[in-house]
Amino acid sequence: MPSLYVHVPFCARKCGYCAFYSEASGPELMGRYVRALVRELERVAAELRPRTVFFGGGTPTLLSLLHWEEVLKAMERLGLLGAAEWTVECNPATLSLDKARLLRSGGVNRISMGVQSLNQPLLERLGRIHSRAMVFKSYDILRQAGFENVNLDLMFAIPGQTLEVWRQTLDEALAMGSEHLSSYEVIYEEDTPLYAQLKAGQFSVDEDLACAMYDELVERASEAGFEQYEVANFARRSLACQHNVNYWRAGSFAGLGPSATSYVRGVRTKNWSNTRLYCELIEGGKRAVETREELPPLARAGEAAAFGLRMVAGWPFEEFRRRTGHDLRREWAGDMDQLVDQGWGRLNPHSFQLTRVGLRFADAAAQLFLR
Ligand SMILES: C[S@@+](CC[C@H](N)C(=O)[O-])C[C@H]1O[C@@H](n2cnc3c(N)ncnc32)[C@H](O)[C@@H]1O
Ligand code: SF4
């Protein structure tokens, strides 16, 4: 299995827009989770030789130094070190120099930091626990600890965010000099406070403004020396996130921890989104799987087509055939023609890719390919 994902289901406080499975909790549950995670790692270690490892969340950097030592020791004992790329997600309010150094010395070589905005009132509006000053401080800490591959996460089309405020955040973030930038338009996820506010009519969504913000993002990132390689992802020095590229190219991956998904040979399993239940099951020697879904080959290929089109390079026909056993030009010819007619797609001699407008509406374009 080329990729390992570990979900850390804790946050100091939930942000108003976020639907990732995580909760605020004390050191007791965190300790119990770490012990369960080590057991889950032990169970799958023999099948893993990961080229990429990604600890996401939640907020992995909320785990204490002692917890991280336990995790790193287990990874070493189980022969799981040595991945070419090992990312840990971090919230700027949860990083100390000691923790950054511990992670770096344990083999972590990429940090993804949730910034979202560099406008103080918007950070508060989003329910973030950190100030804008903390973003710069944590970034310096990461560099001091020796991290040479840092991603910054930004969000745009935040309620109350003007084009001018977005430009300021973008320019300041680009000037920080990170190797990677991920920038997503706000998604209104059900069961979040932000969604409830939208439904209550406290603000409305301005699609034209969101489009203008996306254009600004693509232009300014390119001017700053970033190459866009996916709808929302930009890299300098060819440092695209290999872990995510594996997802978009329909590669296999193992996912551990509550709510994590695994995808192996067309079978998708998902762990329970309940940390206590997850711990109970693992402690009892059981697997923590809630659902298992086996996709028929054509449906699997359709998903691969949909995911892979998020990449700026689109799908080289030969690579698609090699990975899925299906021919994009046969099964999906009509869908590709439709996208070309709409101005959303471009048919090249050896590949199909979305245009810049198409990338803006990649989710809608991708729907066509599902079978
Ligand atoms: C798990 S978080 C990153 C690490 C850490 N938990 C933090 O927030 O600082 C993953 C990223 O997903 C993005 N995200 C989460 N919810 C979102 C939403 N509803 N719409 C758009 N982006 C979202 C944010 O940019 C966030 O940084
Ligand atoms: S955005 Fe990050 S810090 Fe905020 S609730 Fe989601 S996972 Fe936690």
Side-chain angles (χ1 to χ4, degrees):
M1 215 111 56
S3 290
L4 168 65
Y5 174 78
V6 173
H7 191 80
V8 182
F10 305 109
C11 285
R13 186 176 80 200
K14 272 316 271 185
C15 303
Y17 53 86
C18 180
F20 285 102
Y21 174 65
S22 67
E23 62 181 336
S25 75
E28 206 177 306
L29 185 61
M30 288 192 188
R32 190 176 170 201
Y33 156 81
V34 168
R35 287 188 294 279
L37 174 65
V38 169
R39 285 188 69 169
E40 208 187 8
L41 279 167
E42 284 165 353
R43 197 179 52 72
V44 297
E47 304 156 32
L48 289 176
R49 182 75 39 223
R51 273 186 280 116
T52 71
V53 177
F54 196 108
F55 277 63
T59 308
T61 44
L62 198 60
L63 296 179
S64 69
L65 284 169
L66 286 174
H67 291 147
W68 267 110
E69 275 169 7
E70 249 180 278
V71 172
L72 296 174
K73 250 189 250 154
M75 295 279 288
E76 184 176 18
R77 173 169 58 84
L78 297 167
L80 294 172
L81 298 185
E85 179 189 279
W86 182 353
T87 306
V88 169
E89 282 187 337
C90 111
N91 178 305
T94 59
L95 198 71
S96 63
L97 184 57
D98 283 351
K99 208 175 276 181
R101 283 195 169 132
L102 175 70
L103 294 177
R104 186 68 199 92
S105 65
V108 177
N109 57 14
R110 184 174 186 272
I111 295 285
S112 177
M113 183 157 82
V115 175
Q116 323 312 354
S117 176
L118 286 167
N119 178 272
Q120 190 60 39
L122 281 185
L123 288 174
E124 286 158 26
R125 171 89 178 76
L126 293 172
R128 298 292 292 173
I129 54 165
H130 60 85
S131 63
R132 65 176 252 124
M134 277 184 214
V135 171
F136 299 115
K137 184 160 177 261
S138 293
Y139 186 78
D140 288 345
I141 286 178
L142 292 174
R143 294 307 199 191
Q144 227 180 312
F147 283 101
E148 293 176 349
N149 191 356
V150 176
N151 168 58
L152 305 178
D153 277 343
L154 295 178
M155 297 200 316
F156 63 92
I158 301 166
Q161 187 182 36
T162 61
L163 193 55
E164 199 38 46
V165 165
W166 171 231
R167 283 190 187 125
Q168 274 168 12
T169 286
L170 248 182
D171 287 347
E172 281 187 290
L174 292 168
M176 286 169 73
S178 69
E179 284 69 27
H180 196 282
L181 178 72
S182 296
S183 186
Y184 291 93
E185 178 177 345
V186 169
I187 301 167
Y188 293 94
E189 304 273 8
E190 273 182 56
D191 296 329
T192 60
L194 198 68
Y195 180 82
Q197 290 162 19
L198 175 68
K199 290 287 143 193
Q202 292 180 16
F203 56 84
S204 56
V205 174
D206 183 340
E207 263 301 317
D208 292 338
L209 180 59
C211 281
M213 289 179 169
Y214 185 66
D215 284 343
E216 235 14 70
L217 163 70
V218 172
E219 257 152 50
R220 289 187 185 224
S222 146
E223 280 163 21
F226 279 94
E227 190 192 340
Q228 183 181 15
Y229 66 99
E230 194 260 358
V231 175
N233 285 279
F234 304 80
R236 278 183 176 133
R237 300 196 286 115
S238 305
L239 285 167
C241 175
Q242 294 309 313
H243 186 83
N244 287 338
V245 169
N246 179 58
Y247 282 138
W248 296 316
R249 285 293 181 234
S252 300
F253 55 90
L256 309 188
S259 81
T261 302
S262 300
Y263 183 69
V264 186
R265 288 180 288 278
V267 178
R268 185 177 298 129
T269 52
K270 187 174 193 302
N271 277 352
W272 285 98
S273 300
N274 178 329
T275 304
R276 286 166 191 82
L277 178 59
Y278 165 84
C279 292
E280 251 169 60
L281 289 166
I282 301 278
E283 286 158 3
K286 301 199 186 81
R287 293 188 63 186
V289 173
E290 178 189 14
T291 56
R292 181 183 187 282
E293 182 192 14
E294 188 159 0
L295 295 176
L298 186 61
R300 215 193 295 173
E303 279 202 355
F307 269 131
L309 282 181
R310 298 185 60 86
M311 297 198 65
V312 173
W315 266 116
F317 298 128
E318 186 47 34
E319 186 175 357
F320 185 79
R321 199 199 48 73
R322 196 162 25 84
R323 286 181 177 262
T324 67
H326 287 263
D327 190 341
L328 210 51
R329 285 164 294 188
R330 186 165 298 177
E331 177 65 33
W332 290 275
D335 305 300
M336 291 193 291
D337 285 345
Q338 183 182 328
L339 289 175
V340 171
D341 290 346
Q342 256 175 287
W344 286 13
R346 189 179 304 122
L347 199 52
N348 307 309
H350 302 292
S351 68
F352 179 75
Q353 67 190 137
L354 294 182
T355 59
R356 182 154 156 187
V357 190
L359 283 172
R360 169 72 184 77
F361 300 104
D363 289 341
Q367 286 294 325
L368 290 179
F369 291 79
L370 299 179
R371 292 290 183 270

